[in-house]
Amino acid sequence: MRSDWLTQGPAIARFEAAVAARCGARYAVAVCNATAALHIACLAMGIKPGDRVWTSPNTFVASANCARYCGAVIDFVDIDPDTLNLSVDKLAKKLAEAERAGRLPQLLIPVHFAGQSCDMANIRQLADRYGFRLLEDASHAIGGSYRGLPVGACSFSDAAVFSFHPVKIITTGEGGMVVTNDEKLYRQLLLLRSHGITRDPDLMEGENEGAWYYQQVALGFNYRMTDMQAALGESQMIRLDGFVARRRELVARYQKAFADAPIQLQSVIESTDPAWHLFIIQTLRPEQRRPLFNALRAAGIGVNVHYIPVHTQPDFGRLGFRRGDFPYAEDYYERAISLPLYAGLSDEDQDYVIEQVLKGLRG
Ligand SMILES: *Cc1c(COP(=O)(O)O)cnc(C)c1O
C-alpha cells in the first residue's frame, strides 16, 4: 500500500514470475479476473466469429461465455460420471462425428473440475489428430498436479487460466492469469490486456514518431490487474502449498468418514494430485438431494451446489440447447452438494459437518 504504484507496476511482474515459476510455464499474464483471462486467451488463439469452441457443461458459465464474446459457436462434451470432468471417450466420439459433418472445433476448453486435472495427455492426442487448440480452465486447480507436473505447466496445452476470486485456492480479491509456453501467444496476450496498445517500436506499423508515441495495433481491452492486487497475490503464492496441503488433508478426512455412507464421491484418477477447490458428495437418488441440502443449511452449514449445467441456463436455451442434451452432467447436478472446504476449516468444524451429513442421510 505504501509503494508508488497503484495500477500495473513492479508487483505485477513479480506475481507473474512467481506463478510461472511454480507452474513451470515460461510466461504468465495477470489480468483483472479469470473471465477476462479466458476471453483474451481465446482471442490470442485466433478464435473469431463462426469458429467452434467446446467445453464441459459442468462448469461456471465463464468457461463457455469466453467463446461467445469472440462470436464463436459454443458446444459441450458431456462429463464422465466418475471424475466429473469432460469425458475423453465422449470427446473422441463427438470429434469423429464432427469430422464427418465438417464441423470440427477450433478450440477445446477442458475444465479441471474441483481441482482435479483432466486427462490432458489423451486429450492432447485428440487435439493433434483433429487439429484444435487447447486452453485449460484451471480456475480450480492451482497447486495441483498431473503426471507429476504442476497444473499450468502447459505440457499438453497451448495455455492455462487461473482464477483468484475469493472462493478459489488463492485470491487477489478479483484476479486471473494466463500461463503459456508460447511466446507469440504471450505477446498477443500482453497487447489484448491493455487496449491493444504498444510502445515497442518493433510492434509498430510505420514510423515511431517520438518518445511520447504509442500505437494501437489491435482491438484490446482494459483487463489490467492493479499492483495492489498483485502484491496480495505474491504473498498468497508463498502460502499456496500450505493451503493445498490442508485442503488435501480435509478431503482425506471427508473420504474416510464417508467411505461406507450411502453417497457417491468423485473418483480420483491415479495420474492426478488434485488441488481440491471443492469437495462434492452426490446422493444416490435425486429426490434425496433437496432435503439433505436444506437440513445442512438449517444446521448452519454453508453447503452449495456446483454446477448447474451451463447448457440449461436460459441464455443458453436461446442458443438452442435443451435439458436432456448432456444427461450425465444433468444427472450429476440433480444429486450434488458441495460441502465446506477451505484451508481455515478446523477439524472440529469438519467433524460437525460430517456428523450432520450422516445424520441427514439417515433421514
Ligand atoms: C471462478 C471460475 C471462473 C471465473 O473466474 P473469475 O475470476 O471470477 O472471472 C471461470 N471458470 C471456472 C471453472 C471458475 O470456477
Side-chain angles (χ1 to χ4, degrees):
M1 292 299 288
R2 279 192 292 268
S3 96
D4 295 337
W5 295 83
L6 292 176
T7 186
Q8 253 180 213
I12 292 283
R14 291 197 305 264
F15 180 36
E16 289 172 341
V19 174
R22 176 63 180 76
C23 298
R26 214 162 286 154
Y27 307 105
V29 178
V31 288
C32 52
N33 56 63
T35 306
L38 288 163
H39 182 195
I40 60 171
C42 286
L43 286 173
M45 289 189 202
I47 297 304
K48 57 184 192 305
D51 281 355
R52 282 171 290 272
V53 177
W54 295 359
T55 189
S56 170
N58 183 30
T59 186
F60 185 58
V61 292
S63 314
N65 286 337
C66 56
R68 298 177 61 192
Y69 299 152
C70 304
V73 177
I74 188 72
D75 200 356
F76 302 92
V77 180
D78 208 349
I79 61 167
D80 175 306
D82 298 322
T83 66
L84 311 176
N85 277 330
L86 70 79
S87 156
V88 181
D89 290 342
K90 292 189 181 76
L91 173 64
K93 282 201 194 87
K94 193 173 172 104
L95 285 165
E97 284 163 24
E99 186 178 43
R100 282 193 294 276
R103 300 171 58 83
L104 281 170
Q106 280 68 38
L107 173 66
L108 178 75
I109 307 179
V111 181
H112 303 324
F113 182 73
Q116 171 166 236
S117 176
C118 294
D119 188 357
M120 292 307 297
N122 285 318
I123 293 174
R124 174 81 256 163
Q125 283 190 349
L126 291 168
D128 289 340
R129 173 162 167 204
Y130 291 100
F132 55 87
R133 303 193 80 166
L134 282 176
L135 171 59
E136 300 172 69
D137 185 342
S139 293
H140 299 182
I142 194 165
S145 67
Y146 170 71
R147 293 199 173 187
L149 295 165
V151 168
C154 300
S155 308
F156 302 97
S157 70
D158 295 282
V161 162
F162 296 122
S163 172
F164 310 124
H165 182 277
V167 301
K168 306 295 162 69
I169 290 175
I170 61 166
T171 188
T172 56
E174 294 273 2
M177 200 173 286
V178 189
V179 288
T180 182
N181 295 319
D182 180 334
E183 188 183 351
K184 201 170 144 232
L185 215 52
Y186 170 63
R187 302 267 161 232
Q188 203 58 28
L189 291 166
L190 290 179
L191 273 180
L192 292 169
R193 165 170 73 180
S194 197
H195 308 282
I197 280 175
T198 183
R199 290 180 180 276
D200 179 352
D202 292 344
L203 300 179
M204 290 180 186
E205 294 166 28
E207 249 174 80
N208 179 9
E209 296 180 11
W212 65 85
Y213 193 60
Y214 61 81
Q215 268 188 357
Q216 182 185 332
V217 296
L219 180 59
F221 306 87
N222 180 353
Y223 280 172
R224 291 185 305 264
M225 176 183 276
T226 68
D227 227 42
M228 297 179 284
Q229 290 170 298
L232 178 54
E234 270 188 278
S235 70
Q236 289 270 289
M237 279 306 287
I238 297 165
R239 302 172 69 188
L240 171 64
D241 289 338
F243 288 157
V244 171
R246 178 59 181 156
R247 285 172 175 274
R248 286 178 178 154
E249 217 171 77
L250 289 163
V251 165
R253 292 182 93 248
Y254 272 140
Q255 285 168 331
K256 186 160 172 251
F258 297 139
D260 300 318
I263 45 175
Q264 192 182 330
L265 304 182
Q266 179 182 6
S267 28
V268 181
I269 55 173
E270 223 175 276
S271 51
T272 68
D273 197 357
W276 293 116
H277 166 54
L278 300 171
F279 184 80
I280 289 149
I281 59 172
Q282 291 170 72
T283 57
L284 299 181
R285 287 175 287 112
E287 60 274 21
Q288 296 171 302
R289 194 265 301 268
R290 187 186 303 275
L292 180 59
F293 185 96
N294 290 343
L296 292 170
R297 279 276 174 99
I301 297 169
V303 286
N304 227 315
V305 171
H306 301 88
Y307 284 100
I308 303 160
V310 176
H311 69 282
T312 67
Q313 295 289 353
D315 197 47
F316 285 78
R318 283 188 278 279
L319 302 176
F321 293 104
R322 293 288 171 263
R323 217 165 272 276
D325 285 349
F326 304 99
Y328 286 92
E330 294 170 29
D331 172 65
Y332 154 75
Y333 160 65
E334 290 178 357
R335 297 182 295 113
I337 299 177
S338 306
L339 298 184
L341 182 67
Y342 49 95
L345 179 61
S346 69
D347 285 5
E348 295 70 42
D349 283 351
Q350 188 188 27
D351 288 341
Y352 175 70
V353 175
I354 291 166
E355 179 195 306
Q356 292 299 314
V357 169
L358 294 174
K359 184 176 157 208
L361 285 168
R362 285 193 298 268

